[in-house]
Every structure is written in C-alpha cells, then in structure tokens.
Amino acid sequence: VAPLSYQEAFSYSLKLLSGRQYSETALLEKLRGRGCSREVSEEVAGKLRELNLLNDRAFAEAVAQDLARFKPSGRRRVKSVLKKRKVSEETASDVSSKIGNEEEAGRAKELARKYEVKWAALPKMRRLKRIYDLLIRRGFDFELCRQVIEEIR
C-alpha cells in the first residue's frame, strides 16, 4: 500500500474530525495506522492546529464537560480518562485541576443521593459501602468520599 500523500492525509483527517474531536496524538496515530509518513502527518497536524481544528486543550475541556454532565466524576477520573484519550500529562493535569472543590463535592453528593434512593432496599451499611465504592471508582478523593458518607449517615 502506497503511503498517503499530504492531500489524502489532510482529507482523511477532516473526515475523522467531522465525526468527533481527537487529541493530536490520537489523530497522528490514526494517520500512521493508515500508512502516512511521520513528516506528512506532522505537517497535516500543524495545518489543522493553524486552522484551530486540532486543539488538545479544547478537546480536554470538552471531554471533562461531558464527564461532568453525563457521568459525574472526580478529578482523578477526569485525568485518567484524558490520558486514555491521548491528551498530554500536563494538559490533563491542568484541566482536571480546574474542577473546584465545591464543584467536585457537589457532584459527589448528587451521585450519592441518586444511588442512596436506588439502593434504598439494601441494609444501611451495605448501601453506604456501595456508595463509597462507587464514589472511589468515579475518581473522587478518599476524604471527600468519607465526608459524603458521613453526611448521608
């Protein structure tokens, strides 16, 4: 298979980006997987950055907002998801650290209330343990999880 030309790589990138956002690293991996040379893929990424179609910070903030809206999560989980989506460590840390303490506590309490009702038929200690475990899995701070459980108790 012949390597992709600049124009083919650029068109393929636009097709990918029309479907959803990608981090720069993820897009470069896609291009290389299609047989694009390193030089051409870097050139395409540069042009896309110039056109503001490829912006890791905007991508990371959008992912963090989606998590907040659809699957309330703590800072640790937001950072973990961003790293899995090929966002740099620095950008992932910056975006996850922008989640305020009150905002994170609000998300944790809201999630705990939702599942307290859902698991109301369970014995109290078992219900509290499940809620605590859920909060931990969602990336909330251990101390915050403990405080939320104390408030529910």
Side-chain angles (χ1 to χ4, degrees), residues 29 52 101 129 141:
E29 285 178 5
N52 205 26
N101 289 337
K129 172 79 169 108
D141 181 60

Side-chain angles (χ1 to χ4, degrees), residues 24 35 47 68 98:
E24 184 172 340
K47 183 64 174 173
K98 285 185 179 178

Side-chain angles (χ1 to χ4, degrees), residues 18-145:
S18 70
R20 71 174 182 92
Q21 287 185 310
Y22 284 84
S23 68
E24 184 172 340
T25 306
L27 184 69
L28 289 173
E29 285 178 5
K30 285 277 204 184
L31 287 172
R32 288 195 197 107
R34 262 327 252 285
C36 190
S37 71
R38 177 178 221 92
E39 297 77 29
V40 170
S41 58
E42 292 290 341
E43 193 177 335
V44 167
K47 183 64 174 173
L48 291 170
R49 273 193 310 273
E50 189 180 304
L51 296 170
N52 205 26
L53 295 173
L54 194 59
N55 182 332
D56 274 1
R57 177 155 305 275
F59 170 71
E61 288 172 355
V63 168
Q65 285 176 349
D66 285 349
L67 277 174
R69 194 176 9 216
F70 300 115
K71 198 161 191 166
S73 304
R75 287 185 196 105
R76 284 188 336 213
R77 178 129 193 268
V78 169
K79 187 175 178 179
S80 172
V81 167
L82 290 174
K83 286 168 63 178
K84 282 183 186 170
R85 302 280 296 270
K86 311 288 189 199
V87 173
S88 72
E89 174 76 33
E90 181 184 332
T91 304
S93 292
D94 281 354
V95 170
S96 64
S97 69
K98 285 185 179 178
I99 300 170
N101 289 337
E102 273 98 45
E103 182 183 355
E104 188 176 32
R107 290 179 189 178
K109 289 174 186 174
E110 177 186 331
L111 192 60
R113 280 190 222 104
K114 175 183 171 183
Y115 280 88
E116 186 178 24
V117 170
K118 185 175 181 174
W119 293 329
L122 294 174
K124 185 170 187 146
M125 291 309 290
R126 193 167 181 196
R127 180 174 62 237
L128 293 176
K129 172 79 169 108
R130 280 195 181 183
I131 292 170
Y132 180 82
D133 291 345
L134 172 71
L135 293 173
I136 293 294
R137 280 192 309 274
R138 291 281 184 96
F140 292 102
D141 181 60
F142 297 106
E143 185 60 30
L144 175 60
C145 295

